């Protein structure tokens, strides 16, 4: 991993931002979306043949496939999955929002009615790996919110199968339908519907650049959770952090894919050098060494700053998806962190704990969007309606103000609809 100063890092970032040109990606994705809208299931089968290299007759997962998946998984896996499920439910239950009402003078009632979405589509990435943890993280909040219809889509492998671990996770999370379709075509199917796949109210879940771009294009016709980019971790470490822990956590992050970002920010030159050596040493023993190497080469950086204050200022500028504070008394520094998707405190709270097990969601804002957005949660599957009740007496008291405002906007029919209700001495005027 490269060690660099803060100013060198800022210069490098600015150069990368100028290079991004996504015109071709937009053209490809729009073409896929339009074809799915026009041709429905036929387009899905064709794209699955083209991109996933498998000729499917149908993309519905059958009961026999689910039964086989249940036989194939180990009891250790099932136990771990159920443990994670309990933790995720335990955490997310606290996010449920209730309807509320306030009573005013003259019997007025104002409130907010909370209603779950009727349907949600969950994209689970396939391609390079299987992500049963992502199934739990995306489906369970929808279940807790009370969504009645949860549809999961995920690309099949070249044998036309979905990994047993993913199918079983879908089963224990309570998914209603599972379809073998991935990429931009799956997003288009969830957004507009096909002969087989029902259109949903909201699409959630991470995916590669085709999936992310398709979500951006269908937004407005359907709700989406966020546009997820490649995964990131920023670790802030001082001399109290064990270098072999820091190195292991940076390597774990770089393992996600070649575009993942792993950054260490430290004000200790000693930590910078020992972590750099430790990363080299541990890397040699890892299974996904080639991919990790590529990711670290591209986006792995050790940045040496002057102080903790400067480190946290940089954190707030980057607004990372994951932040690990491996420093003395991390809890005390929490108020200084403004922008991060998830904040892991201390040497024994690595990102992998949150990825799988602790309970908070692992679908988090990436690419600096933590400045304005939040982790996926139960609130993503709830919507609100305002409730307004005025009694005759209460309305009568407000008539003049409403009429004045309506006339100021030139909306005289609005004013009339209020005036027609005017009462004087208890009688209609
Ligand atoms: P994916 O399911 O997102 O994408 C596979 C699909 O991409 C294929 O089915 C195909 O339809 C489409 N595709 C591939 N090449 C194409 C092309 N040339 N043109 C059009 N479409 C094409 O799986 P993936 O590619 O492995 O990516 C998964 C991503 O999700 C990774 O970046 C991973 O890090 C990320 N991820 C994020 C989280 C999270 O919580 N943030 C969790 C798990 C995975």
């Amino acid at each position: 991993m490269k060690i660099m100063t803060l100013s060198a890092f800022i210069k490098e970032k600015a150069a990368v931002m100028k290079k991004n040109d996504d015109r071709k990606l937009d053209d490809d994705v729009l073409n896929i979306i339009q074809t799915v809208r026009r041709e429905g299931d036929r387009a899905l089968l064709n794209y699955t043949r083209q991109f996933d290299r498998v000729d499917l007759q149908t993309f519905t997962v059958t009961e026999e496939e689910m039964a086989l998946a249940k036989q194939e998984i180990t009891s250790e896996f099932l136990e771990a999955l159920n443990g994670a499920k309990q933790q995720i439910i335990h955490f997310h239950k606290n996010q449920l929002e209730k309807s509320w009402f306030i009573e005013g003078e003259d019997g007025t009632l104002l409130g907010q009615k909370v209603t779950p979405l009727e349907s949600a589509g969950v994209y689970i990435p396939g391609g390079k790996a299987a992500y049963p943890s992502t199934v739990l993280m995306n489906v369970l909040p929808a279940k807790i919110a009370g969504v009645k219809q949860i549809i999961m889509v995920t690309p099949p492998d070249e044998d036309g199968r979905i990994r047993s671990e993913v199918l079983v996770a879908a089963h224990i999370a309570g998914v209603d339908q599972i379809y073998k379709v991935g990429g931009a075509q799956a997003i288009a199917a969830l957004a507009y519907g096909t002969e087989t796949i029902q259109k949903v109210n909201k699409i959630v879940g991470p995916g590669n650049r085709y999936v992310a771009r398709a979500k951006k294009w269908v937004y407005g016709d359907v709700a989406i959770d966020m546009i997820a980019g490649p995964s990131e971790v920023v670790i802030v470490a001082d001399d109290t952090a064990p270098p072999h822990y820091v190195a292991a956590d940076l390597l774990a992050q770089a393992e996600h894919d070649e575009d993942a970002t792993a950054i260490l920010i430290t004000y200790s030159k000693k930590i910078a050098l020992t972590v750099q050596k430790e990363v080299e040493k541990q890397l040699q023993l890892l299974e996904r060494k080639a991919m990790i190497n590529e990711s670290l080469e591209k986006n792995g950086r050790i940045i040496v700053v002057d102080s903790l204050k400067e480190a946290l200022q940089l954190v707030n500028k980057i607004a990372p998806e994951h932040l690990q504070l491996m420093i003395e008394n991390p809890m005390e520094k929490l108020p200084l962190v403004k922008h991060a998707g998830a904040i892991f405190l201390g040497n024994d709270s690595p990102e992998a704990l949150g990825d799988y097990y602790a309970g908070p969601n692992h679908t988090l804002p990436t690419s600096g969007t933590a400045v304005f957005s939040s982790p996926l949660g139960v609130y993503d599957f709830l919507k609100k309606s305002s409730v307004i009740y005025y009694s005759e007496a209460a309305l009568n008291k407000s008539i003049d103000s409403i009429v004045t405002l309506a006339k100021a906007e030139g909306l005289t029919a609005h004013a009339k609809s209020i005036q027609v209700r005017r009462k004087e001495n208890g009688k209609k005027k």
Side-chain angles (χ1 to χ4, degrees):
M1 281 177 85
K2 253 191 238 165
I3 299 183
M4 61 205 314
T5 61
L6 176 58
S7 57
F9 176 71
I10 290 170
K11 226 182 257 167
E12 186 183 72
K13 277 276 145 239
V16 172
M17 281 172 86
K18 273 201 208 117
K19 270 203 287 187
N20 289 336
D21 176 13
D22 288 338
R23 177 94 45 92
K24 164 132 179 39
L25 180 63
D26 275 330
D27 288 349
D28 290 350
V29 166
L30 264 180
N31 184 31
I32 293 172
I33 294 172
Q34 278 156 0
T35 310
V36 172
R37 290 186 82 168
R38 225 177 26 243
E39 298 175 12
D41 283 352
R42 193 156 68 91
L44 297 184
L45 292 172
N46 285 340
Y47 284 129
T48 305
R49 194 176 307 119
Q50 183 180 345
F51 298 129
D52 304 303
R53 291 179 293 277
V54 55
D55 218 344
L56 296 179
Q57 299 307 312
T58 164
F59 17 74
T60 310
V61 170
T62 62
E63 279 176 27
E64 291 73 36
E65 283 174 287
M66 185 57 92
L68 183 64
K70 287 181 193 164
Q71 282 170 23
E72 277 182 356
I73 55 147
T74 64
S75 53
E76 290 82 14
F77 173 76
L78 189 60
E79 195 182 321
L81 203 62
N82 274 313
K85 174 182 167 179
Q86 292 320 317
Q87 286 294 110
I88 295 166
I89 291 175
H90 173 68
F91 176 83
H92 284 79
K93 265 194 327 204
N94 293 294
Q95 295 176 340
L96 258 177
E97 292 170 65
K98 290 201 176 91
S99 301
W100 51 263
F101 296 90
I102 41 176
E103 281 181 48
E105 280 176 29
D106 300 315
T108 63
L109 196 73
L110 301 174
Q112 187 168 275
K113 183 180 181 306
V114 179
T115 311
L117 300 184
E118 279 173 10
S119 60
V122 178
Y123 187 90
I124 300 300
K128 293 173 196 143
Y131 302 101
S133 60
T134 304
V135 177
L136 299 187
M137 292 288 182
N138 282 267
V139 175
L140 292 172
K143 274 276 169 204
I144 294 168
V147 177
K148 288 276 176 309
Q149 193 58 234
I150 303 176
I151 298 178
M152 185 179 112
V153 291
T154 187
D157 65 17
E158 289 186 17
D159 296 325
R161 293 193 59 188
I162 295 173
R163 285 272 289 272
S164 297
E165 289 83 355
V166 170
L167 286 184
V168 172
H171 175 70
I172 76 157
V175 169
D176 297 291
Q177 271 115 33
I178 310 170
Y179 297 113
K180 298 173 194 172
V181 58
Q185 58 276 21
I187 300 299
L190 290 172
Y192 302 108
T194 68
E195 298 89 322
T196 306
I197 300 179
Q198 179 200 314
K199 170 181 166 48
V200 296
N201 295 145
K202 183 162 187 168
I203 302 172
V204 301
N208 65 12
R209 52 210 287 270
Y210 298 98
V211 172
R213 193 49 64 105
K215 281 169 79 178
K216 200 166 185 169
W217 276 112
V218 300
Y219 174 65
D221 290 337
V222 65
I224 61 166
D225 54 344
M226 61 181 87
I227 313 280
S231 193
E232 311 143 356
V233 72
V234 169
I235 301 180
V236 178
D238 63 14
D239 282 326
T240 64
H244 63 298
Y245 284 16
V246 178
D249 295 349
L250 292 167
L251 288 163
Q253 177 58 33
E255 180 182 44
H256 277 291
D257 61 66
E258 47 284 289
D259 290 324
T261 295
I263 292 176
L264 167 64
I265 307 176
T266 184
Y267 31 99
S268 155
K269 288 218 175 75
K270 193 173 117 208
I271 279 282
L273 288 167
T274 43
V275 169
Q276 188 187 40
K277 277 201 199 107
E278 192 59 43
V279 164
E280 268 312 306
K281 190 171 118 198
Q282 291 186 24
L283 174 62
Q284 306 315 318
L285 304 171
L286 291 173
E287 274 174 33
R288 301 175 78 166
K289 188 174 154 186
M291 186 197 278
I292 296 174
N293 218 355
E294 192 181 336
S295 150
L296 288 181
E297 192 68 28
K298 257 204 256 178
N299 299 316
R301 298 290 180 267
I302 298 174
I303 304 160
V304 181
V305 294
D306 289 337
S307 62
L308 176 62
K309 190 171 160 217
E310 203 170 67
L312 294 178
Q313 278 170 349
L314 180 57
V315 164
N316 286 328
K317 220 177 226 147
I318 297 173
E321 180 189 16
H322 306 95
L323 170 66
Q324 287 185 216
L325 292 184
M326 299 175 78
I327 54 176
E328 211 174 2
N329 301 326
M331 193 74 86
E332 273 176 22
K333 305 296 180 274
L334 190 56
L336 301 176
V337 178
K338 283 195 291 184
H339 307 305
I343 306 164
F344 297 80
L345 302 174
N347 295 333
D348 290 310
S349 312
E351 184 199 315
L353 168 69
D355 284 347
Y356 291 109
Y357 211 76
N361 212 283
H362 81 197
T363 304
L364 298 164
T366 57
S367 317
T369 57
V371 292
F372 57 75
S373 57
S374 314
L376 184 77
V378 174
Y379 36 75
D380 278 289
F381 300 97
L382 297 172
K383 66 190 186 69
K384 287 119 192 178
S385 306
S386 302
V387 178
I388 300 149
Y389 170 76
Y390 260 49
S391 64
E392 200 176 76
L395 181 66
N396 222 28
K397 276 190 199 160
S398 313
I399 282 179
D400 289 340
S401 299
I402 303 168
V403 168
T404 302
L405 291 169
K407 284 184 175 164
E409 292 190 357
L411 299 179
T412 49
H414 278 65
K416 284 252 160 57
S417 83
I418 295 292
Q419 279 168 321
V420 74
R421 291 174 163 83
R422 190 188 289 280
K423 291 261 179 78
E424 261 162 35
N425 304 324
K427 291 196 184 121
K428 288 232 191 281
K429 206 185 158 200

